[in-house]
């Protein structure tokens, strides 16, 4: 007796052929993603020569936003990426307790404000050293002739090449003094970069940056003059009435954008609350409701990546107003006291192992569970 599945089995090769044809048509209809690798290379090149928006160990971002990771940056230093959410909890707890032991210089199982201040200065110096090493690599990328100087035109060629322009065509246009065809957004970025280039160019200005000047161009925290320029840029962007100083409403004004849902509203509410607290408790040192550029900018050079000696502090003592100076001893002590206050549950003005583990998310960005049970074995 003939199987009732016979006709269907006979159709199987035809169905398979049709399925293959459909898949082939679908694959050919989708354009091959040849640009992904090219875009990644371009993005990497652009990131190598553009000043970063975020500066480790500096309290404000380049656009005036609060640095959300500041506490972790000054507590972890170059180990900033060492505490991942997916890491094995026991290993992370042990690593955190190793850090605790290093901060606890007198080994009394408590961290004082002075011990934390010393640690913050040390970790900030690590970020400075990292920035210097990165800048050396980036300098070589934009100094093709290796003469130890980078001209604005050399940098401009590399920048536009990272944006997809032909490096040869841009170089030829600059050499022949021809107009470059770039979009409005790129032109605006170029103008801002040139202003910054002028500021990094130490007198007498020649538009040629040395390796040290290029470091200041990329990382303004390494130069008093560039930090002041960064402060003026932030004040200019936030100042709504043109008086060159900031009031509370100006500092806490929401970034451009509209609140579309409750989640967005919550984010905006947190933005206002956090910035108001920062303004009133830390930035506005004389509590007059106004922040001037002088309260933000550093009094002296930021140290060019090296820690200041005792003589530096004696010759030019740190002032409370230098909010944006990452190597300000007063700021480091103030930050140390704040970090201790967050986790100091027994109110003894010190941090103990249990407290650091319990508030691990504040110090490392990762929440380490079972802190109380594990503190003895980890320490």
């Amino acid at each position: 007796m003939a199987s009732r599945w016979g006709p269907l089995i006979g159709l199987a090769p035809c169905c398979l052929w049709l399925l293959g044809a459909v898949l082939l048509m679908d694959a050919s209809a989708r354009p091959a993603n040849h640009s992904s690798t090219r875009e990644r290379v371009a993005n990497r090149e652009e990131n190598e020569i553009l000043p970063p928006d975020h500066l480790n160990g500096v309290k404000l971002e380049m656009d005036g936003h609060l640095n959300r990771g500041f506490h972790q940056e000054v507590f972890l230093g170059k180990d900033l990426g060492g505490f991942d959410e997916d890491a094995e909890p026991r290993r992370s707890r042990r690593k955190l307790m190793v850090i605790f032991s290093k901060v606890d210089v007198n080994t009394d199982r408590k961290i004082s404000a002075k011990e934390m201040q010393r640690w913050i200065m040390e970790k900030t110096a690590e970020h400075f050293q990292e920035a210097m090493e990165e800048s050396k690599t980036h300098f070589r990328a934009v100094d093709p002739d290796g003469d130890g100087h980078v001209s604005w035109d050399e940098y401009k060629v590399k920048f536009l090449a990272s944006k997809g322009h032909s490096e040869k065509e841009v170089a030829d246009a600059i050499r022949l003094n021809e107009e470059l065809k770039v979009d409005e957004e790129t032109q605006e970025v170029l103008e801002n970069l040139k202003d910054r280039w002028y500021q990094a160019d130490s007198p007498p200005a020649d538009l040629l940056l040395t390796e040290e000047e290029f470091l200041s161009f990329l990382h303004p925290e390494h130069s008093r003059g560039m930090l002041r320029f960064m402060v003026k840029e932030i004040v200019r962007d936030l100042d709504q009435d043109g008086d060159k100083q900031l009031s509370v409403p100006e500092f806490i004004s929401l970034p451009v954008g509209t609140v579309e849902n409750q989640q967005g509203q919550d984010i905006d509410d947190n933005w206002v609350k956090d910035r108001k607290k920062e303004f009133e408790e830390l930035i506005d040192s004389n509590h007059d409701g106004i922040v001037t550029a002088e309260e933000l900018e550093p009094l002296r050079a930021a140290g060019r990546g090296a820690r200041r000696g005792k003589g530096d502090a004696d010759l030019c003592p740190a002032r409370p107003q230098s909010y944006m100076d990452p190597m300000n001893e007063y700021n480091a002590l103030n930050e140390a006291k704040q970090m201790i206050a967050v986790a100091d549950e027994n109110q003894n003005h010190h941090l103990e192992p249990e407290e650091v583990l319990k508030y691990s998310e504040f110090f490392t960005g990762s929440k380490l569970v079972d802190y109380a049970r594990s503190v003895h074995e980890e320490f």
Side-chain angles (χ1 to χ4, degrees):
M1 183 175 66
S3 171
R4 60 178 176 175
W5 301 107
L8 293 178
I9 292 173
L11 288 172
C14 182
C15 292
L16 289 173
W17 181 87
L18 286 172
L19 177 61
V22 169
L23 290 174
L24 184 60
M25 289 172 62
D26 182 55
S28 61
R30 292 192 301 261
N33 187 14
H34 296 306
S35 63
S36 58
T37 302
R38 186 165 60 249
E39 287 172 356
R40 284 197 297 270
V41 171
N43 288 339
R44 186 183 71 246
E45 291 175 350
E46 184 178 350
N47 290 337
E48 285 178 351
I49 63 174
L50 271 180
D53 293 326
H54 174 80
L55 304 172
N56 284 338
V58 180
K59 289 192 171 185
L60 291 183
E61 308 282 13
M62 298 289 283
D63 58 6
H65 288 210
L66 298 181
N67 178 1
R68 298 288 181 183
F70 179 76
H71 303 298
Q72 287 103 43
E73 291 167 5
V74 297
F75 184 73
L76 298 176
K78 62 184 179 182
D79 292 326
L80 188 58
F83 290 84
D84 297 325
E85 291 291 347
D86 298 331
E88 202 277 313
R90 181 180 176 124
R91 184 174 63 84
S92 295
R93 290 194 298 268
R94 184 171 297 162
K95 191 171 184 178
L96 183 55
M97 287 298 95
V98 168
I99 293 175
F100 184 100
S101 300
K102 291 178 179 178
V103 184
D104 179 24
V105 177
N106 62 4
T107 65
D108 63 351
R109 289 174 60 89
K110 293 184 294 184
I111 294 176
S112 67
K114 293 298 289 183
E115 286 174 324
M116 184 67 88
Q117 178 198 30
R118 178 198 63 83
W119 183 255
I120 288 172
M121 295 291 289
E122 195 173 301
K123 297 296 107 177
T124 303
E126 285 182 5
H127 290 306
F128 269 53
Q129 187 61 37
E130 282 183 331
M132 291 175 68
E133 291 169 1
E134 289 175 4
S135 180
K136 286 182 180 179
T137 302
H138 300 164
F139 183 80
R140 287 194 291 268
V142 295
D143 181 26
D145 54 14
D147 64 352
H149 294 83
V150 177
S151 69
W152 168 248
D153 285 342
E154 285 177 324
Y155 179 82
K156 188 175 180 179
V157 168
K158 293 293 184 181
F159 170 74
L160 290 176
S162 75
K163 288 288 189 179
H165 293 264
S166 165
E167 188 168 326
K168 183 180 184 305
E169 289 178 5
V170 172
D172 289 343
I174 291 176
R175 180 172 53 82
L176 299 172
N177 201 25
E178 295 177 351
E179 184 178 353
L180 292 167
K181 295 179 181 179
V182 298
D183 59 76
E184 188 175 338
E185 181 182 350
T186 301
Q187 184 59 40
E188 184 178 352
V189 173
L190 268 175
E191 290 172 1
N192 290 335
L193 287 173
K194 191 169 186 179
D195 287 343
R196 189 173 177 140
W197 192 273
Y198 271 107
Q199 291 295 323
D201 186 15
S202 300
D206 54 8
L207 285 186
L208 294 173
L209 297 192
T210 63
E211 187 173 309
E212 187 176 28
E213 290 169 338
F214 189 73
L215 169 64
S216 298
F217 171 74
L218 290 182
H219 288 274
E221 72 272 25
H222 286 256
S223 160
R224 178 177 70 173
M226 288 303 291
L227 263 180
R228 285 182 171 174
F229 177 71
M230 178 179 169
V231 165
K232 288 177 181 177
E233 293 280 286
I234 291 173
V235 171
R236 183 198 66 188
D237 291 343
L238 298 179
D239 178 21
Q240 297 173 6
D241 58 13
D243 63 355
K244 297 184 180 179
Q245 53 190 13
L246 300 178
S247 62
V248 174
E250 287 173 329
F251 190 74
I252 68 174
S253 60
L254 297 174
V256 176
T258 57
V259 177
E260 297 179 354
N261 51 40
Q262 185 57 47
Q263 183 181 7
Q265 182 64 57
D266 293 341
I267 292 173
D268 286 346
D269 289 346
N270 289 333
W271 163 280
V272 171
K273 182 178 68 175
D274 292 346
R275 289 180 73 84
K276 189 172 189 292
K277 181 179 179 182
E278 191 80 6
F279 184 101
E280 294 176 344
E281 297 182 8
L282 298 175
I283 306 178
D284 183 17
S285 56
N286 60 3
H287 305 293
D288 64 352
I290 295 293
V291 164
T292 63
E294 288 71 25
E295 287 176 299
L296 290 169
E297 66 189 22
L299 183 64
R300 59 188 183 286
R304 296 289 185 185
R307 293 183 62 189
R308 296 186 180 99
K310 293 181 180 179
D312 294 324
D314 294 337
L315 289 171
C316 194
R319 64 176 183 179
Q321 296 98 318
S322 305
Y323 175 82
M324 288 289 288
D325 185 351
M327 292 298 284
N328 182 304
E329 296 88 348
Y330 176 91
N331 286 348
L333 181 59
N334 198 29
E335 183 63 29
K337 291 176 179 178
Q338 287 182 66
M339 293 174 74
I340 289 173
V342 167
D344 184 21
E345 291 197 337
N346 61 10
Q347 299 295 301
N348 67 349
H349 305 293
H350 288 72
L351 283 180
E352 298 176 9
E354 295 89 346
E355 294 169 332
V356 172
L357 284 169
K358 183 173 182 178
Y359 289 86
S360 60
E361 192 168 8
F362 173 77
F363 292 104
T364 69
S366 299
K367 193 170 185 179
L368 310 180
V369 296
D370 298 331
Y371 60 89
R373 186 185 68 185
S374 305
V375 65
H376 176 71
E377 60 181 272
E378 303 301 351
F379 196 80

